Amino acid sequence: MKTIIALAFALLITYSSAQAQDLKTSKSLKTALEQSSSSKKPILLIIEATGIPKAANMPGNAKINFKSALDEPEVINRINENFVVYKTVMTDTSIRSIIREANVKSFPAFVFLRTNKDIFFKDFGNSTDQRKYISMVDKALAALKEESISELETKYNADKDNNAVLKKLIDTRKKLGITNNAELIEKYVNNLKIGDFNDYQTVLYILEAGPYSDGNAYKLAYTNRKIIDSLYKTEPIQKRTGINNVIISNTISDAAKNKNTARAISAANFARNTWTRDYRNGEKAYNNQILWYYSTVKDTASYLRTASYFYDSYYMNISADSIKKIELKNREALTQRHVATMPYQKQISKEKLDSLQKVYGKTMVTQSVVTVGNVSNSYANELNNAAWKFYEIGTKNLNYLSKAMIWSRRAIELNPIAGYYDTLAHILYRLGYNEEAIKTQEMAIERAKTEKTPTASLESELKKIKAKAL
């Protein structure tokens, strides 16, 4: 009997030990927040990209020799001991505001939240070395001890003349990758003296915060042109590009939020000016910003008018052959960059890539693992998206629909894929060319079969076209 009890006890210990190796995860963000509140533990939000699952979870016939050290027992125990975990994917709508605020752009992402949802640390990336994750946990626990964003905001609101506290608040947000600090930097410059704008580091600090391009902070930072010229000559190109991008992003986003067309034009002009003497790309940058604004605020008339001019002048005044040559060159350069940085480059052979494509589909694997598009993909995709946008807006203006049809045909000429034929079929239907729309949608279905992509949606749309029920 003692032997049986001892054996049972040993099995129980073994079972418990095995169970301890699993990462304990909450079923939802709401549940994680509730558990965090009751346990007084912070939250670790693990955000995976959609698409191909991580290698460790792939079926046997995929055979990728990559296993994340996040699954190591020591890492799991450290995480379980210190955090409430919610594991999800980037498309989860409950975390949309967190992704936006934390400026998450790389996946898998690890975002650490206090019980009140304040972000206090973040990291990203897979690794086979468990030291990465142990270090991540240690850094997060250290960051947890520092003043939170909410605490600093409370301090500042109690003493709005205290630039030291405001600077610490901005620095804390910047450290976490939060780039929308335009409102805060406007308040910060209000407490500075005129002479402060002759200091290189002060000017750099203001610009790094991403001031509105038509705001007071930006104007004051530009009062000393010598400093500005020096800054844009001496700072690393990555930092200069980052400054410009944040200024554009903060300005256009605020413009859309408040339907401020003057601010949107300021953002677009700033984007254009970043290209200096490259007038063609400058005009493209300007129009991309202003079109995004019109689309976001639903100013349909301005969108259609501006888009018509932009796509005709930028995409249609160059031959298809010239576009193919340009994008072939771009594709070769892009492929070389990806080969140099691709995380699976040492693990994936051609045979393994073929195996992946059989399991998950060629398109998904190519986009997720290799991330290089087809020749002429950029121009074709831009034109297709513009054409579809015109259809989606619902315009019945024959002039606009005719332009959309021409753009759609050019997209197909550059890259004849199923989705582009589908766009053209819808536009032809809207124009009243029902028979041609049917034939074009049938071509979309045939293309999809050749591409080995799903056809159900295309076939459903074909039925609607035939029934004149779109």
Side-chain angles (χ1 to χ4, degrees), residues 65-326:
N65 300 322
F66 179 88
K67 186 177 186 301
S68 174
L70 189 65
D71 298 324
E72 293 293 334
E74 184 179 351
V75 175
I76 289 174
N77 287 336
R78 288 273 283 159
I79 292 175
N80 285 340
E81 181 183 337
N82 292 287
F83 305 100
V84 172
V85 179
Y86 175 47
K87 192 173 184 180
T88 185
V89 293
M90 60 185 288
T91 52
D92 182 348
T93 56
S94 72
I95 64 166
R96 187 178 295 162
S97 62
I98 296 172
I99 288 178
R100 183 170 58 249
E101 184 181 1
N103 197 27
V104 175
K105 296 180 179 178
S106 300
F107 301 91
F110 307 93
V111 182
F112 294 81
L113 309 172
R114 298 178 193 271
T115 301
N116 64 354
K117 287 181 72 173
D118 263 6
I119 301 163
F120 66 91
F121 188 74
K122 73 174 185 179
D123 201 347
F124 66 92
N126 268 322
S127 176
T128 57
D129 189 346
Q130 69 176 12
R131 288 176 296 181
K132 168 188 168 57
Y133 300 108
I134 297 297
S135 174
M136 177 181 76
V137 169
D138 289 341
K139 289 177 182 177
L141 292 173
L144 183 63
K145 296 176 183 178
E146 299 176 3
E147 285 184 289
S148 70
I149 290 174
S150 294
E151 289 169 338
L152 289 168
E153 286 174 342
T154 301
K155 275 189 176 182
Y156 171 70
N157 287 328
D159 182 8
K160 294 191 175 181
D161 291 327
N162 193 333
N163 254 18
V165 173
L166 182 52
K167 186 176 186 299
K168 190 172 183 181
L169 173 58
I170 294 171
D171 289 342
T172 300
R173 290 168 61 88
K174 285 169 63 178
K175 186 177 179 181
L176 294 170
I178 300 173
T179 57
N180 57 334
N181 298 303
E183 288 292 335
L184 294 175
I185 205 64
E186 287 292 328
K187 296 172 182 176
Y188 181 79
V189 300
N190 288 339
N191 294 327
L192 294 179
K193 299 174 183 177
I194 293 297
D196 292 331
F197 300 103
N198 293 322
D199 178 69
Y200 183 98
Q201 290 303 322
T202 299
V203 172
L204 178 60
Y205 186 78
I206 293 169
L207 294 181
E208 285 184 317
Y212 300 130
S213 60
D214 61 343
N216 196 40
Y218 178 82
K219 292 173 184 174
L220 288 170
Y222 265 69
T223 54
N224 190 323
R225 290 297 311 189
K226 287 184 179 179
I227 289 180
I228 293 295
D229 291 342
S230 176
L231 187 151
Y232 276 97
K233 286 178 182 177
T234 59
E235 293 298 325
I237 188 169
Q238 186 176 5
K239 180 178 286 190
R240 286 178 276 147
T241 303
I243 287 171
N244 290 341
N245 288 342
V246 172
I247 290 173
I248 295 166
S249 176
N250 288 346
T251 307
I252 198 72
S253 295
D254 186 79
K257 179 181 177 181
N258 296 292
K259 294 188 176 181
N260 186 335
T261 302
R263 176 157 283 181
I265 292 171
S266 175
N269 277 323
F270 183 91
R272 173 165 53 197
N273 292 337
T274 61
W275 288 92
T276 57
R277 295 182 181 179
D278 187 344
Y279 303 115
R280 182 175 174 80
N281 275 318
E283 281 304 304
K284 182 182 180 183
Y286 176 94
N287 282 283
N288 280 336
Q289 295 301 321
I290 209 70
L291 284 172
W292 180 87
Y293 170 77
Y294 287 143
S295 175
T296 303
V297 301
K298 297 183 175 17
D299 183 348
T300 303
S302 295
Y303 180 89
L304 290 169
R305 184 175 61 253
T306 306
S308 294
Y309 169 77
F310 171 57
Y311 286 102
D312 274 351
S313 61
Y314 190 85
Y315 290 91
M316 299 302 293
N317 64 352
I318 181 172
S319 70
D321 286 341
S322 296
I323 291 172
K324 289 178 180 179
K325 289 177 183 177
I326 291 169

